[in-house]
Amino acid sequence: MKNIISLILLTAFSVSGVAQKKADLSLSLEQNQVYRMKSVTNQNMIQTVSGNEQSVQTISTIVISIKPLQIMDRETINEVRFDTIISIVNQPPSEFSSVELGDLNSEDPAMILSCILNRLSKSTFLVKMNNRGKVIRIMNLEPVTGEIFKDTNSIQGQTAELILGRAEDMLEEKALASMIEAATAHLPGKQVSTGDKWEVDRNISGGGMNFIQQNVYRLESIGNESANISGEQVMESTPGTMEISGAQITPDIRGLGKSELVIDHRTGWIIKGSTRQQLKGELTVNTQGNTLTIPIEIKNESEISSVW
């Protein structure tokens, strides 16, 4: 009899243990609840121009908030705000910050871009997303960006070309979607077990360059409230040319990355996480009939966490 009871108890606890190793990992945020995420990225970019090595270090801080307004089957409509965007560059020394009001009439490019970022931080986007955290569409993109760029036609000369070009790149739908998905697009959108893997492809856009990022995530463990996920990334610049100050620049850059995430498995929201990436390649620059090849290395280290 004791053996039978022991076997029943052992079986019960075993079944309970197995049940804890499965979870439905979908983006399931509570309606009208505001979820806020902060990411800090340290980037070190080394370019070799005419044999001279140039290092540019950038620290970027982004705080994004998401509020689900309408929850449908496998899709949601959300209010999305970029509460804070700060970028500090060491070479040439500059800081762009949405915290500053900025000034469109300033001769300082940092003040002009800060004004645009400040307007962005006060704007609200309506974003349709699926349960994997992927952006389907930004529904009010044109009217919102129209207000952000209001009166920017007063900016003239080379400053206008550089600053407005950078701002327009940042406010394209694919660039905004890229910033949103950095906080959300890491989920399988279905039930998975410990050890299961799933793929998430993302289009990364920033600084005029576009990348395809292929992610393979793995569910490492499940606790009472959280799940631990590891990820491996393969990144490659997409074919295309960007124009800066009259120069045609074509990137050919590839790299790898790894990430570790802790998520709330009830909502799919990241509690904390980190990513390390290393990329290498070259930029081909065509200007005034001359062609220059610039070797480039990029190292990114990012930390992300919920802000309560």
Side-chain angles (χ1 to χ4, degrees):
M1 178 63 73
K2 286 184 178 180
N3 289 338
I4 293 175
I5 294 174
S6 297
L7 180 60
I8 292 172
L9 290 173
L10 177 61
T11 302
F13 280 113
S14 298
V15 170
S16 176
V18 170
Q20 274 294 326
K21 294 182 180 180
K22 291 185 178 181
D24 183 354
L25 298 184
S26 300
L27 192 64
S28 304
L29 306 181
E30 184 179 339
Q31 189 170 6
N32 295 321
Q33 176 71 38
V34 176
Y35 297 81
R36 187 168 284 111
M37 187 78 65
K38 177 181 180 180
S39 67
V40 179
T41 300
N42 286 271
Q43 180 184 86
N44 185 31
M45 181 172 63
I46 299 174
Q47 304 175 90
T48 304
V49 182
S50 301
N52 297 316
E53 195 173 90
Q54 302 174 355
S55 177
V56 178
Q57 296 178 333
T58 305
I59 301 175
S60 299
T61 302
I62 298 176
V63 178
I64 181 175
S65 58
I66 298 178
K67 178 182 177 181
L69 298 179
Q70 185 176 351
I71 299 175
M72 302 165 285
D73 183 29
R74 303 177 70 85
E75 293 181 359
T76 57
I77 295 176
N78 310 270
E79 283 186 352
V80 176
R81 297 174 62 95
F82 299 95
D83 301 306
T84 305
I85 300 178
I86 300 173
S87 183
I88 301 173
V89 185
N90 76 325
Q91 189 62 33
S94 55
E95 179 174 345
F96 313 102
S97 174
S98 64
V99 178
E100 303 292 337
L101 288 176
D103 184 0
L104 289 182
N105 298 315
S106 173
E107 294 183 0
D108 182 356
M111 291 294 288
I112 297 172
L113 188 54
S114 291
C115 179
I116 295 172
L117 292 178
N118 181 265
R119 292 179 176 185
L120 172 59
S121 70
K122 296 176 180 177
S123 302
T124 301
F125 294 92
L126 293 177
V127 182
K128 179 180 282 191
M129 304 173 67
N130 66 20
N131 70 333
R132 301 191 71 189
K134 298 277 287 182
V135 172
I136 299 172
R137 183 166 65 94
I138 300 178
M139 303 166 67
N140 62 338
L141 180 67
E142 289 189 10
V144 173
T145 55
E147 284 297 312
I148 293 173
F149 283 114
K150 186 177 180 180
D151 299 326
T152 55
N153 56 2
S154 64
I155 306 170
Q156 301 295 324
Q158 189 176 14
T159 299
E161 182 182 353
L162 290 172
I163 297 301
L164 292 181
R166 181 169 179 177
E168 287 168 359
D169 287 340
M170 181 184 298
L171 292 172
E172 284 187 340
E173 184 169 23
K174 60 184 178 181
L176 294 170
S178 177
M179 288 193 286
I180 296 168
E181 290 181 350
T184 60
H186 48 268
L187 300 164
K190 62 181 181 180
Q191 187 179 82
V192 289
S193 301
T194 303
D196 283 354
K197 295 181 179 181
W198 61 93
E199 297 180 1
V200 178
D201 291 344
R202 289 183 55 212
N203 294 310
I204 309 295
S205 181
M209 289 193 287
N210 299 299
F211 291 84
I212 293 292
Q213 179 176 291
Q214 298 173 310
N215 301 273
V216 177
Y217 291 105
R218 183 179 187 274
L219 178 58
E220 298 292 344
S221 62
I222 302 173
N224 291 332
E225 297 182 352
S226 64
N228 293 288
I229 296 172
S230 64
E232 295 185 353
Q233 298 119 29
V234 177
M235 299 180 66
E236 181 178 1
S237 57
T238 58
T241 298
M242 56 183 174
E243 184 173 337
I244 299 178
S245 299
Q248 303 291 322
I249 303 175
T250 304
D252 182 11
I253 304 171
R254 295 173 175 82
L256 302 173
K258 290 188 175 182
S259 59
E260 301 289 337
L261 301 173
V262 179
I263 70 167
D264 181 338
H265 62 64
R266 296 168 301 180
T267 62
W269 191 247
I270 293 177
I271 298 171
K272 63 179 180 178
S274 62
T275 300
R276 303 289 181 268
Q277 298 170 335
Q278 193 154 1
L279 303 95
K280 196 172 184 179
E282 60 187 26
L283 302 175
T284 301
V285 182
N286 291 295
T287 178
Q288 298 180 347
N290 298 314
T291 300
L292 177 66
T293 299
I294 302 176
I296 185 170
E297 294 183 32
I298 302 172
K299 184 180 291 185
N300 296 322
E301 296 185 357
S302 301
E303 302 290 333
I304 189 169
S305 61
S306 292
V307 180
W308 304 106

